[in-house]
Amino acid sequence: MTGTTSAIPRPLVMGVETSCDETSVAVLGGDNRILGHVILSQDKHKVFGGVVPELAARAHLQKIDAVAREALGQAGVSLQDIDVFGVTAGPGLIGALLVGVCWTKAAAFALRKPLIAVHHMEAHLFGASMDDPTAEPPFVGLLVSGGHTLLLYAEAWGRYRLLGQTRDDAAGEAFDKVAKLLGLAYPGGPEIERVAADGDPDRHRLPRPMLRGGQSPSDGDYFDFSFSGLKTAVVELVRRLGEEGVPNAERPHVAAAFQEAAVDVLASKTMRAVEETGCDRVLVGGGVSANRRLREELKTRLGPEGRLFHASPRLSLDNGAMVARTARFRFDLGQVAPPEATAAADLAFPGLTDRMS
Ligand code: KG4
Ligand code: ZN
C-alpha cells in the first residue's frame, strides 16, 4: 500500500457488474464512500431494439479491463490494494454474467483476496440506499427493472419477505416493448417518459391488470403484477389508431396513457403493501425507479408522514457501486464465495422468504 492509500478507510471493496448491457466497476472505501466508479453502457444494441446476449458478452470481455483500470485510477489505488472483490453472479444474461464472474474470480484468486457473489436485485435495494444514510430497513421495497418486478418487505438488510411479483413481463420490459411499438429507441423507459411529457394521459384509457376494487390480501393476485396484458392493450390501441402505425400526433398521448397505467398499478400495489405491513417507509430500486412520474406518484400517495427512498438516476440503473455495497454487507457476514462459485441466470434472492412462510 502506498502512503496516500493508507489514509483510506478499509476494507477497499471492488464491485463488478456485467449482468446485462452495462459494464461497470466501482471502488468503495471502508466507509462505503464511492472512490471510483465507471459505467459503460453498450449502445450497439440500439439498432436491434433490445439487448443481443452474445454481443453483450463480447463487449463486456473487450471493455472490462479498461473500465476496471479507470475506476481504480479515479480511486487512486491499484488492483493490489483491493481487499474484497464483489461481482454480480445473477440473475441476468448468462454469457454476460460469466465474463464478470471469471474476471473477478481471476483477480481475487491471483491476489488471494475474498470473492463475494452478489445478487443483482439485492444490489438494486442497496443501490437505492446509498445516497441517503437514513434509507435503512424496515421498509417496503419495490424493485422494478428490465427483468424483474418484486414487491417485498425488508425487516432488516438480508431479511426480506416476498409480497408480490410479476406473473409475466417485468415493468421495464413493458416500457421497452411499448416504446418499440411506438417506434421509439431502446432502452424504452426513458424514451416513454420523455415523449409522455407532451401527452394527455386521459385521452386513452388503458386497463390496470390485477387491480380491482374488492380484492383482499388473501387473494392470490392482491400484490402481484401482470404487464403483458397492459402491453396487449397498447397493441390493440395502436391498431385502432392507424394501419400504418401510430400517427405522430397521437404518440405522446399513447405513451402518457401507458405510463399512467403502469405507474398506477405499481403505486397502488405498493400502497397495499404499506397498509398490510403498517410500514410507510418505501424504497424503490431498479432501472424503472428512475421514472419521475413513478416517484412523484409514490411520494403523493405516501403523504407527508411517509418516506420514499430512491437512488440518484446514475445509481438507479445497473452499476458497480451497488454491487460493491452489497458485497461489503455479505463480506461482513463472512459469506465468502467458494472456489467453485459460478454465475446463475436464475440465482435465488438471498434471504427472501415466500409470503406464505
Ligand atoms: O435495472 P436496469 O438498469 O437493468 C436491469 O436490471 O434490467 O433496468 C433497465 C430497465 C429498462 O427496461 C429501461 O427501459 C427501464 O429500466 N428504465 C426506465 C427508465 N429508465 C430506465 N423505465 C421507465 N422510466 C425511466 N425513466
Ligand atoms: Zn438491474
Side-chain angles (χ1 to χ4, degrees), residues 17 19-20 120-121 124 145-146 286-287 316-319 322:
E17 161 61 42
S19 69
C20 192
H120 184 78
M121 298 313 289
H124 273 305
S145 72
S316 299
L317 304 177
D318 290 351
N319 67 85
M322 67 181 191

Side-chain angles (χ1 to χ4, degrees), residues 22-41:
E22 265 85 29
T23 315
S24 180
V25 176
V27 177
L28 228 60
D31 53 0
N32 290 326
R33 217 159 54 83
I34 300 172
L35 304 175
H37 194 194
V38 178
I39 305 172
L40 187 71
S41 292

Side-chain angles (χ1 to χ4, degrees), residues 85-116:
F85 286 88
V87 62
T88 301
L93 303 171
I94 192 63
L97 287 165
L98 282 168
V99 174
V101 169
C102 289
W103 189 93
T104 315
K105 201 169 172 175
F109 180 77
L111 297 168
R112 295 190 169 81
K113 299 289 173 59
L115 175 78
I116 312 290

Side-chain angles (χ1 to χ4, degrees), residues 29-321:
D31 53 0
N32 290 326
R33 217 159 54 83
I34 300 172
L35 304 175
H37 194 194
V38 178
I39 305 172
L40 187 71
S41 292
Q42 303 172 358
D43 54 13
K44 47 171 53 66
H45 306 287
K46 275 202 188 324
V47 291
F48 300 102
V51 178
V52 182
E54 188 179 329
L55 289 183
R58 285 172 193 270
H60 288 309
L61 198 51
Q62 281 168 337
K63 302 291 188 195
I64 190 156
D65 272 307
V67 168
R69 199 163 309 141
E70 171 81 19
L72 287 164
Q74 285 178 6
V77 301
S78 70
L79 193 65
Q80 285 73 14
D81 294 322
I82 300 296
D83 302 306
V84 178
F85 286 88
V87 62
T88 301
L93 303 171
I94 192 63
L97 287 165
L98 282 168
V99 174
V101 169
C102 289
W103 189 93
T104 315
K105 201 169 172 175
F109 180 77
L111 297 168
R112 295 190 169 81
K113 299 289 173 59
L115 175 78
I116 312 290
V118 168
H119 189 281
H120 184 78
M121 298 313 289
E122 184 177 41
H124 273 305
L125 282 183
F126 276 101
S129 82
M130 291 183 74
D131 292 326
D132 182 349
T134 67
E136 290 283 321
F139 56 72
V140 167
L142 174 68
L143 287 174
V144 273
S145 72
H148 294 83
T149 304
L150 294 169
L151 187 60
L152 53 82
Y153 176 62
E155 260 166 50
W157 288 119
R159 277 216 315 275
Y160 315 113
R161 184 155 52 90
L162 179 67
L163 296 170
Q165 58 192 324
T166 183
R167 303 245 179 127
D168 39 59
D169 291 354
E173 196 177 351
F175 272 89
D176 293 337
K177 286 180 175 170
V178 169
K180 205 171 177 177
L181 267 171
L182 297 181
L184 302 170
Y186 177 86
E191 285 293 293
I192 294 270
E193 182 172 359
R194 182 178 62 79
V195 173
D198 298 322
D200 171 6
D202 299 321
R203 166 102 63 136
H204 305 289
R205 174 77 190 171
L206 289 169
R208 271 66 170 155
M210 294 200 177
L211 192 63
R212 300 178 306 278
Q215 279 170 299
S216 81
S218 57
D219 293 342
D221 60 357
Y222 187 74
F223 295 113
D224 275 354
F225 306 90
S226 163
F227 287 104
S228 112
L230 178 55
K231 180 204 65 194
T232 308
V234 179
V235 172
E236 276 298 305
L237 172 61
V238 165
R239 207 172 45 80
R240 279 205 310 277
L241 287 172
E243 292 295 313
E244 312 288 325
V246 197
N248 274 344
E250 279 301 320
R251 204 185 282 183
H253 307 309
V254 178
F258 164 74
Q259 179 172 259
E260 210 52 33
V263 165
D264 188 13
V265 172
L266 290 168
S268 300
K269 301 271 171 163
T270 304
M271 292 315 291
R272 285 179 175 183
V274 165
E275 211 168 284
E276 174 77 1
T277 58
C279 175
D280 63 357
R281 296 158 55 84
V282 171
L283 178 145
V284 58
V288 182
S289 75
N291 187 283
R292 274 164 300 196
R293 183 70 197 94
L294 174 62
R295 293 178 182 181
E296 184 186 276
E297 189 61 24
L298 285 168
K299 251 196 198 120
T300 306
R301 294 202 197 188
L302 278 164
E305 300 295 314
R307 290 291 309 273
L308 180 69
F309 306 113
H310 60 75
S312 60
R314 186 170 157 84
L315 291 185
S316 299
L317 304 177
D318 290 351
N319 67 85

